[in-house]
Amino acid sequence: MPIENDGVMIILSSPSGAGKTTLVNLLSELDNFQISISHTTRQPRLNEVPNKDYYFVDEAEFQRLIKNQEFLEYAKVFNNFYGSTRTPVINNLNKGKNVLFDIDWQGADQIKNKKLDYKLITFFILPPSKEVLFERLTNRDMKDKLIVDERMKQFDRDVLHWINYDYVVINDDLNKCFQKIQSLINAEIKDGSKDYDKEFIRSHIEKLSS
Ligand code: ADP
Ligand code: 5GP
């Protein structure tokens, strides 16, 4: 059973480019919210800051962390390894901080299956349409057509995982989406009523998949 003063674990996953990193960064500005900084073997993007956006490590170091069982979860995504180390997460939760994870469905499944003694809330973020997703990926990935094509191809597979999340939220207007997530987190923490329409989400997913 979670202890009342412990923090809450909040996972955001999405098909690449839907906006979860942007949303996690916004949420982290709220009082008492802390991002779990992942380790990755991927190369930094131009705008990324080492030890803030990610701990960038080589494959040997990543394998050492796996061997030492330092990861709460880890996975291979798009040919690179990504993982969340356990100690900082547990320390923050024990201090009453809410910990935000920007991780894929494999990592979300692993954390869910661990059934830790902390409350867990999971969000799956979707774009308003595939056209908008393509635009966002093209802008972010510096017109690297290969990356954009690879991530668009992955979309149809990634979207299937929505079913395993507590809430699916559409990131059209950034601020509205941020407020929606914030209000669902508050409702979960205070056990209040949740403004959530699962049927609307189901029909949005049908449109995205057709
Ligand atoms: P993810 O982490 O899901 O891969 P990002 O947060 O990196 O996605 O967002 C992808 C791109 O889309 C970024 O360039 C980001 O600035 C932009 N973006 C995110 N949310 C919105 C939004 N609601 N409206 C317009 N652009 C957005
Ligand atoms: P990107 O390379 O675009 O930053 O991230 C690619 C994917 O890896 C995203 O779906 C992101 O959520 C996921 N990811 C980032 N960090 C982790 C992590 O620590 N664990 C897992 N399982 N996935 C991660």
Side-chain angles (χ1 to χ4, degrees), residues 38-155:
S38 297
H39 284 68
T40 183
T41 57
R42 139 160 111 57
Q43 291 299 311
R45 295 191 183 115
L46 282 177
N47 62 336
E48 284 179 329
V49 181
N51 306 337
K52 179 175 172 286
D53 293 302
Y54 279 107
Y55 298 114
F56 294 100
V57 295
D58 60 20
E59 199 148 330
E61 172 61 5
F62 201 96
Q63 292 299 334
R64 188 190 69 78
L65 293 167
I66 295 177
K67 205 161 152 230
N68 284 0
Q69 301 191 334
E70 296 200 30
F71 286 120
L72 191 56
E73 63 74 32
Y74 71 91
K76 196 169 193 184
V77 190
F78 300 118
N79 298 321
N80 287 298
F81 285 100
Y82 295 81
S84 320
T85 46
R86 179 191 315 267
T87 306
V89 170
I90 302 296
N91 287 348
N92 276 318
L93 290 168
N94 288 344
K95 279 192 262 174
K97 296 217 181 282
N98 300 321
V99 178
L100 296 158
F101 295 85
D102 168 348
I103 62 177
D104 82 329
W105 62 271
Q106 303 173 84
D109 273 359
Q110 289 173 40
I111 292 185
K112 238 166 103 171
N113 290 338
K114 287 217 156 97
K115 298 197 184 339
L116 302 172
D117 275 342
Y118 302 93
K119 186 172 175 64
L120 173 65
I121 315 170
T122 60
F123 291 94
F124 196 72
I125 313 299
L126 286 176
S129 65
K130 277 195 192 175
E131 291 73 22
V132 169
L133 180 69
F134 180 77
E135 237 173 72
R136 288 185 191 166
L137 283 170
T138 308
N139 289 337
R140 185 190 69 186
D141 292 320
M142 303 295 156
K143 316 229 177 320
D144 186 333
K145 208 177 158 326
L146 268 182
I147 293 183
V148 174
D149 284 352
E150 176 192 48
R151 295 187 173 204
M152 285 303 294
K153 257 190 229 145
Q154 185 72 26
F155 175 81

Side-chain angles (χ1 to χ4, degrees), residues 14-22 136 140 171-174:
S14 76
S16 183
K20 69 192 160 311
T21 308
T22 308
R136 288 185 191 166
R140 185 190 69 186
N171 178 20
D172 190 352
D173 177 281
L174 182 62

Side-chain angles (χ1 to χ4, degrees), residues 8-14 20 24 27 99-113 118-125 161-169 180-181 184-185 188 196 198:
V8 168
M9 296 190 288
I10 298 149
I11 295 180
L12 270 72
S13 301
S14 76
K20 69 192 160 311
V24 161
L27 290 162
V99 178
L100 296 158
F101 295 85
D102 168 348
I103 62 177
D104 82 329
W105 62 271
Q106 303 173 84
D109 273 359
Q110 289 173 40
I111 292 185
K112 238 166 103 171
N113 290 338
Y118 302 93
K119 186 172 175 64
L120 173 65
I121 315 170
T122 60
F123 291 94
F124 196 72
I125 313 299
H161 297 285
W162 72 277
I163 197 80
N164 294 322
Y165 287 75
D166 297 324
Y167 300 105
V168 180
V169 182
K180 177 93 189 166
I181 295 172
L184 287 167
I185 294 172
E188 279 282 347
Y196 184 64
K198 201 162 181 179

